[in-house]
């Protein structure tokens, strides 16, 4: 509830490419909501992390970026990734390994171990699947965000020679696995309370249930962590007898996300599997222009959470005013909710939903979409 929320400080990080364009619209909306709902909210706009900052300073962000970030309650980031030569055709494109590193520094450094990516097809949003049941798509993918395939340990031996060897270590801990999976069940229970028993999911292990958590692994080829996930999942599931359970191998899950996505409720996946599945889930809910995301630590609110849309810097459309700001605005709503401004978050989600129903093609630009959403807020 807005009334009980305390003062909140936000760091706005527009970043690169369309990140700067969608952030501009998020600021318009934040200014409006702050005024209309009397939100105790303040923000600073930071010019890092960004490839522009890198051009000036030789790195994406200051050495003490994590400490500076900790002065805020939330970080709202547009996108990272060098959009390539725009004004200066001769300029080199910064490799993704450098330009995207700050994302991982924040996620791991602030121990934001849960990445939540809801995928719900709102009425009026583009529906890419022909089957009308796709209108029922309403899932929440929860992605491990602090370890797994993203620990970035490894290296290259004899680089550039025919004998080159590359290693890339993956690390899965019981603690990291257990907190992730328990969080998925907690979210499934909350969704059950919100939606009641309107939905029914077929579950291989418990018959049908009104809420379900589906575990994703590749335990047939990667049994070490696959079995750890499977065992912990079974242990935690016992604490939630009302929640159905299922398991899909990640390759089959990709197939089922297209064939019958309405059969998924909460999906819990490793860092890399979750990354891949959430671009696919984004398309099921209308495209990357509508896909919000947050990086949170549900156990510890002392450090800031990081909110960023699922999409990247979109070099193919950057600088053209074509980006859909809705993903950023739905992400902003997630942030407002997290900060305790639930009523404002709900209003903003409602305005995005209303705009989808009332707007008509031809395609509008970034500012025009935001204008349409704002029109439903005033
Ligand atoms: P992308 O998400 O930037 O773009 C994929 C496709 O979706 C493109 O065709 C793009 O035009 C479209 N798209 C994305 N967001 C859109 C929006 N809001 N409205 C309309 N269309 C939209 O992914 P990519 O092209 O694989 O990566 C581009 C760069 O972004 C790379 O450097 C990549 O590493 C980086 N990246 C960053 C993040 C992040 O900052 N969180 C996430 C993903 C990718
Ligand atoms: C995402 C992105 C990042 C990820 C990249 C840019 C490192 O794809 O947030 O989905 O893989 O987590
Ligand atoms: Mn991704």
């Amino acid at each position: 509830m807005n009334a009980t929320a305390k003062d909140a400080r936000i760091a706005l990080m527009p970043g690169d490419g369309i990140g700067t364009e969608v952030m501009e619209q998020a600021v318009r909306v934040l200014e409006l909501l702050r005024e209309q709902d009397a939100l105790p909210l303040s923000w600073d706009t930071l010019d890092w992390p960004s490839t522009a900052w890198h051009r000036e300073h030789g790195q994406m962000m200051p050495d003490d970026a994590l400490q500076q970030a900790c002065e805020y309650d939330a970080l709202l980031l547009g996108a990272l990734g060098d959009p390539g030569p725009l004004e200066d055709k001769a300029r080199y494109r910064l490799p993704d390994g450098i330009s995207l590193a700050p994302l991982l520094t924040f996620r791991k450094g602030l121990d934001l171990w849960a990445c939540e990516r809801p995928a719900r097809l709102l009425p009026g949003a583009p529906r890419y699947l022909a089957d009308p049941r796709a209108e029922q798509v309403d899932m929440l993918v929860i992605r491990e965000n602090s370890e797994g395939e993203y620990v970035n340990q490894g290296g290259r031996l004899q680089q550039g020679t025919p004998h080159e060897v590359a290693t890339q270590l993956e690390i899965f801990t019981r603690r990291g696995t257990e907190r992730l999976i328990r969080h998925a069940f907690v979210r499934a229970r909350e969704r059950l309370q919100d939606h009641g028993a309107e939905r029914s999911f077929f579950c291989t292990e418990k018959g049908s249930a009104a809420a379900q958590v589906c575990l994703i692994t590749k335990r047939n080829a990667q049994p070490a962590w696959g079995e750890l996930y499977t065992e912990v999942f079974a242990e935690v599931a016992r604490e939630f007898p009302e929640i159905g359970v299922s398991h899909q191998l990640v390759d089959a899950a990709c197939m089922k996300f297209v064939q019958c996505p309405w059969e998924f409720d909460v999906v819990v996946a490793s860092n890399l599997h979750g990354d891949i599945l959430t671009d696919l889930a984004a398309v099921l809910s209308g495209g990357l222009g509508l896909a919000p995301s947050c990086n949170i630590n549900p156990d510890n609110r002392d450090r800031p959470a990081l909110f960023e849309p699922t999409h990247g810097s979109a070099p193919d459309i950057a600088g053209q005013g074509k980006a859909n700001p809705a993903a950023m605005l739905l992400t902003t709503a997630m942030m407002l909710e997290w900060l305790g401004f639930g009523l404002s978050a709900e209003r903003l989600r409602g305005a995005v939903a209303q705009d989808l129903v009332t707007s008509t093609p031809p395609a509008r630009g970034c500012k025009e979409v935001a204008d349409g959403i704002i029109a439903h807020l005033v």
Side-chain angles (χ1 to χ4, degrees), residues 80 96 100-101 103-104 107 115 117 143 145 150 271-272 274-276 278-279 293 295 308-312:
L80 295 180
D96 273 0
L100 277 307
L103 268 187
L104 306 184
R107 291 175 188 171
C115 174
R117 295 187 164 173
R143 161 185 181 192
N145 219 26
Y150 278 52
N271 213 329
L272 180 63
D275 175 47
I276 296 166
T278 50
D279 263 31
S293 170
N295 308 276
E308 35 151 1
T310 300
H311 66 69

Side-chain angles (χ1 to χ4, degrees), residues 65-92:
L66 271 180
Q67 286 98 299
Q68 289 197 48
C70 285
E71 287 165 24
Y72 298 93
D73 298 297
L75 317 173
L76 182 64
L77 189 142
L80 295 180
D82 193 341
L86 291 172
E87 70 295 338
D88 175 4
K89 299 272 183 238
R91 185 166 66 78
Y92 74 112

Side-chain angles (χ1 to χ4, degrees), residues 354-378:
Q354 271 180 292
D355 177 66
L356 282 169
V357 174
T358 52
S359 65
T360 43
R364 299 168 296 166
C366 190
K367 181 176 177 301
E368 290 71 38
V369 175
D371 288 346
I373 293 167
I374 286 171
H376 292 288
L377 284 173
V378 289

Side-chain angles (χ1 to χ4, degrees), residues 19-40:
T20 61
E21 301 167 39
V22 296
M23 181 64 83
E24 212 176 302
Q25 306 312 320
V27 171
R28 288 175 69 202
V29 166
L30 281 170
E31 278 169 352
L32 184 70
L33 287 174
R34 178 168 65 177
E35 194 191 315
Q36 287 182 334
D37 299 353
L39 298 183

